[in-house]
Amino acid sequence: MEIVRPQWKPPSNDVVSTLPLYRSAPALEVRLEDFELYAMDRLRVLKGISDGLSRGKKAEEMEKLVNDLWKVNMKHPKAVEVLDKDVISHFVLRLVYCRTEDLRKWFLSMETALFRYRFRLLAADAQRALLTEFGLPYRMVARAEFEGIKEKLVQVARSIGQPMLSSDAIFYKVPFEEVPELVAGRKVFICKGHAYVAMNQVVSLVVTQFRSLLSKALILTNRKWTSAIREQEKDRLTPIVEALCSSYLGPDYSQPKEFAEISIKDIDLVAKSSFPLCMRHLFEKLREDHHLKHGGRMQLGLFLKGVGLKLDDALAFWKAEFSQKVGAERFDKEYAYSIRHNYGREGKRTDYTPYSCQKIISLTPGVGDHHGCPYRHFSSRPSYGLRNIQTMANQPFGISSQSLVAT
């Protein structure tokens, strides 16, 4: 189908920002395969941002990360279609993540962060163009007023490590409640209920507006989805929408590689030198107890499959451990099926891939479980094995997407 380009309304000046505000869905006809692929590309960006924030990256590091993620995932063979891909992918994911409160919360947070760092990467004239497009009713501080409070503005700039103010510095006068993060961080001068926001701080102002608009839009989208769209599109779009938020976006481990195989005789050495901490803990608990609950079996089993353990070896490995506790006959009857199922030999014949870090972090282990992320789920109590984990964490470990490597 042909793509009908939307009629954008640029601001009144000559500079047009390349950062959309996503106020309304564009009048576009999209191929079904593009509908899904565009959304997955944007989802890779959002999950990359989530990972960066969870690792405590600084603002400068996040700017570079977002820029790199955007260039890699949101490119298009036709340069003129990049903006369309941006808008389409946003509205597809808005539909995907409007469906529950938790999904809305995550999407709102990640899209706001993406908007923040994309805005900061814009040139000053493009930022001003976006302010105009927002239609914010805030005025620039007049020269006479600026001179009257310049000393106070200089003190604020100095306290937060900003460069000295130039004679042509631009400030906006806004109600202080419009920039809560600047007020909370004492990064802005306040006088008579108004905050004086420097041009390099305007991102806080527009992000607050963007978040508010998107939050309201997600509620409205949820109402439309529940009342009409889900049923109308049950045979076409609904299955895609409901599956996208749980799609696996990591490397493809499902295809066996000659240089990505491990054997049972090498597995202990490889586990000690190269398994990530979560998998090493599961492996050692399996060796110690000769049993793992379902969550642990799934997390470790799919990981072992991903790093090259063949089905026959996997069956032999798990049987050797479990038979010490439950017996060989019970293993064959109760556990072997799920191993073959993970390898696509039973049931729906789906060739399952290993859990991503994001999925492992989001798991909720129960009493007696050993799966999940050590840095998120493990207790500080020695009885839960943290002393051993701390010892393990001091040892080198790592795994590449294609083969095991010690790092």
Side-chain angles (χ1 to χ4, degrees), residues 266-285:
D266 298 326
I267 198 168
D268 284 279
L269 179 62
V270 172
K272 185 177 181 181
S273 65
S274 303
F275 278 17
L277 189 57
C278 56
M279 302 302 176
R280 191 190 309 173
H281 176 68
L282 280 169
F283 185 84
E284 292 186 354
K285 280 296 178 182

Side-chain angles (χ1 to χ4, degrees), residues 57-88:
K57 289 184 178 291
K58 298 179 180 178
E60 298 77 12
E61 294 174 318
M62 286 300 302
E63 281 185 21
K64 183 180 184 306
L65 175 65
V66 170
N67 192 37
D68 293 342
L69 286 169
W70 192 264
K71 286 181 178 179
V72 170
N73 295 289
M74 296 302 291
K75 60 187 177 182
H76 194 282
K78 298 179 181 178
V80 295
E81 304 292 348
V82 171
L83 181 58
D84 285 339
K85 181 177 180 179
D86 180 4
V87 176
I88 291 167

Side-chain angles (χ1 to χ4, degrees), residues 331-393:
F331 174 84
D332 291 336
K333 183 177 180 181
E334 298 183 14
Y335 299 100
Y337 176 90
S338 64
I339 298 171
R340 293 194 298 270
H341 188 274
N342 286 345
Y343 279 77
R345 305 296 176 85
E346 300 285 359
K348 296 186 297 182
R349 308 285 174 171
T350 301
D351 200 7
Y352 293 96
T353 53
Y355 288 173
S356 65
C357 277
Q358 186 65 35
K359 180 175 178 63
I360 291 172
I361 291 171
S362 67
L363 295 174
T364 308
V367 176
D369 286 324
H370 298 288
H371 61 286
C373 175
Y375 299 105
R376 179 179 177 87
H377 299 120
F378 284 15
S379 168
S380 59
R381 293 172 297 170
S383 61
Y384 203 77
L386 185 64
R387 289 177 178 174
N388 185 41
I389 294 301
Q390 289 173 333
T391 301
M392 292 160 58

